[in-house]
Amino acid sequence: MTYPLDPMRLTGEEARAGTGSRNWNAHPGRPPSESVHTLRRYDVACLGTPLDDMPGVHRFSRIAPASPHVDAAFGAFAHGTLLNTPDGPCAIEDLEPGIRVDTLHNGPQPVAWIGRITIAPAHATSGAPALPLLRVLPGAFGGLLPERDMLLGPYARILRGQGDQAALRPVKSLCDDLTVVETASASAISLYHIGFARHEIVLAGGLPMESYHPGESFEETCPTEDLATLASLFPAPGGLHRLGRTAVRQIGFGT
């Protein structure tokens, strides 16, 4: 997939590189903040939206202050992650909006939204900050699961438990330094997340993992500037509200 750059009126090196630093006033009407936010480029491919009058796939990029609330919509699956589809496993980077992916509760469903960020190497001294990665070894979650060595982003959640005890837990909360290990990349790497018409559980490397959902009370916990960024990244009618309720209870990333 290719994602054209929309610099959102940034200039100079910020627009050319997709990263940089600028003073941002998080609360319009208040004195400018002295804090500096590092910029990150967010790439999106989604089914046709009101941004244009053309059907099919719409692609765009945004440059915005790097934020955990926004990164969470992009930083789940690393390049190479295999998702189950009716036609067999498909690498996350080969997915396109409209391709059907197997879901745990609703059968094959078409992907409506794909987000991507590219993370700089851990040793990089400029640009948006690197994010920790998670390496999951084969068999880490019992039996033969995952089926192969997996690399995930810090915002991946996995379904654990059954019945009333079922919950989507952050994979990073399950690190044991043996089979689930926090690591870093020596080179730039792309991270992805996907969205459907509703919250779904997909099979990634054979593991039940969630599609993107910001949480049912996201507007209460998300800063105003991050809400505005997310609204620009999910331009379909209804925005994130159209996802409705979560399919399974989510455990917060800070929990």
Side-chain angles (χ1 to χ4, degrees), residues 98-153:
I99 290 179
R100 294 188 305 156
V101 170
D102 293 335
T103 72
L104 193 62
H105 300 126
N106 298 299
Q109 294 293 318
V111 174
W113 185 94
I114 303 173
R116 182 189 71 180
I117 51 177
T118 299
I119 304 302
H123 57 75
T125 58
S126 62
L131 296 177
L133 301 174
L134 304 168
R135 185 167 297 282
V136 182
L137 300 183
F141 291 101
L144 300 176
L145 298 178
E147 300 160 349
R148 52 179 284 183
D149 188 85
M150 289 181 66
L151 193 62
L152 299 170

Side-chain angles (χ1 to χ4, degrees), residues 6-58:
D6 177 355
M8 292 183 67
R9 294 192 291 275
L10 294 179
T11 59
E13 287 301 316
E14 292 176 349
R16 287 193 291 272
T19 58
S21 296
R22 177 182 288 187
N23 289 322
W24 291 78
N25 180 9
H27 302 279
R30 297 184 185 179
S33 170
E34 293 299 322
S35 63
V36 175
H37 294 266
T38 305
L39 302 179
R40 194 186 303 283
R41 171 174 163 166
Y42 298 96
D43 298 320
V44 170
C46 59
L47 295 180
T49 73
L51 292 181
D52 56 30
D53 296 323
M54 300 295 291
V57 176
H58 185 77

Side-chain angles (χ1 to χ4, degrees), residues 201-217:
I201 308 300
V202 301
L203 294 176
L207 297 175
M209 306 189 74
E210 72 167 346
S211 66
Y212 177 66
H213 193 297
E216 294 179 14
S217 60

